[in-house]
Structures are given as structure tokens and as C-alpha cells.
Amino acid sequence: MISAHCNPHLLDSGDPPASASQVAGTTDSSEEAPPATQNFIIPKKEIHTVPDMGKWKRSQVPFGTVAYADYIGFILTLNEGVKGKKLTFEYRVSEAIEKLVALLNTLDRWIDETPPVDQPSRFGNKAYRTWYAKLDEEAENLVATVVPTHLAAAVPEVAVYLKESVGNSTRIDYGT
């Protein structure tokens, strides 16, 4: 488990989102700063065994809700927000989403700048370690371009989530 103290409202107002499009930043939202009670910490892994999953499913976040339920609810809200929408659907893209796309484009450009290593192994290419080292070095700078200034304290925490989302450089494991 990664201890999660950040919430799905990070890119929007401090108020709970009314819809998945608001969560995703595709609609206007208040510029009001989130409550001063938000705390951000560097996440650490806490799921090492199957029984640890049960602990996470029952874990509480600072606001008294169950972290697992909040996480699943966030995913389901996003899912509901795109049901019935065509890929060609016209919508306004928020500044937050434009910044996220720019971040992803940077990661994609780094892939092009890191050619595969000629090697006999069929599992993972060692060039991934070079790419990941660059991400490890630049993650906080990348995240800082996306996170609003009033939430700058969240940057180190979110940077860990970004790095963990792309796999493991030691095992050359890209995740599943």
C-alpha cells in the first residue's frame, strides 16, 4: 500500500467534485483554496502480504472516510463521466489537463531520446533504467508544473505517485 493523504481534488477546488469531468478538470471549478487541514507526506509502501490488503481496505484517511472506498469511488466517478461519450466528443480542456498532457508528452519524448539497448534478454530493456533515472531526477520539477501553487506542498508526494506509476527500474518491471 502507498499511504495516501492526497485526494482527487488536487487539481481543482477544495470542494468535493460534482462530476468526473470536474475531477478531471474539464469543467470550470472554483479557484478557492482547499482547507488548511490538508497534509501531504512522502508515501511509503505498506502492502507486503495478502493480509495487508485487508488493512488498506479498512484504512481511514484524515477526514474519517475509508481510503479504499474513496479510491474506488474516484475511479467509478471517472468511469461514469465518460460513459456514452464518443472519442470525437467536443469538450473544453482545462488548463490543468493541458498541463498533464504536456507532462505526459515530456515522458514520451524521453522515450524517443532513450533508444533500446541491444541485449539478449527478452524481459525488459536496460534502457528503461536510463529513462527511469531521468524521471527520478526530474519528477518533482515535472509535477510542480501541474500542481497549483497553493498546493506546492503536495509536489513531493505526487512525484512519488508518478514514479511508482511507471514501474520498477531495478526489476525492469513496467507494471501491469
Side-chain angles (χ1 to χ4, degrees):
M1 172 170 100
I2 294 179
S3 298
H5 294 263
C6 127
N7 63 44
H9 320 297
L10 187 62
L11 296 176
D12 273 310
S13 76
D15 299 324
S19 68
S21 59
Q22 189 177 359
V23 171
T26 56
T27 63
D28 289 328
S29 66
S30 152
E31 289 299 319
E32 183 179 314
T37 58
Q38 285 187 312
N39 246 348
F40 300 101
I41 62 168
I42 301 296
K44 63 180 181 176
K45 290 184 187 272
E46 294 184 13
I47 294 179
H48 303 284
T49 64
V50 172
D52 291 341
M53 282 297 294
K55 291 177 192 173
W56 179 55
K57 288 182 176 182
R58 294 183 305 276
S59 65
Q60 300 287 309
V61 294
F63 305 109
T65 59
V66 178
Y68 175 79
D70 284 353
Y71 181 71
I72 296 300
F74 175 67
I75 291 171
L76 292 174
T77 300
L78 290 174
N79 184 47
E80 288 298 316
V82 298
K83 280 186 179 176
K85 302 274 195 298
K86 295 182 179 184
L87 292 177
T88 57
F89 183 77
E90 291 291 324
Y91 56 92
R92 186 188 76 76
V93 177
S94 71
E95 182 181 350
I97 295 300
E98 287 176 353
K99 289 176 179 181
L100 282 170
V101 169
L103 183 150
L104 294 171
N105 285 338
T106 297
L107 298 179
D108 193 48
R109 181 175 33 86
W110 292 353
I111 291 170
D112 295 337
E113 295 170 358
T114 312
V117 173
D118 188 21
Q119 64 182 45
S121 174
R122 66 175 217 188
F123 297 106
N125 192 282
K126 292 179 182 175
Y128 173 71
R129 290 183 177 144
T130 303
W131 181 90
Y132 189 91
K134 185 164 187 158
L135 172 60
D136 191 40
E137 183 179 313
E138 294 294 326
E140 286 193 23
N141 292 331
L142 289 170
V143 169
T145 66
V146 176
V147 174
T149 55
H150 69 277
L151 292 171
V155 168
E157 180 177 341
V158 177
V160 172
Y161 294 130
L162 174 63
K163 292 185 289 187
E164 291 290 321
S165 74
V166 299
N168 183 293
S169 66
T170 302
R171 295 188 315 266
I172 309 181
D173 171 8
Y174 310 123
T176 55

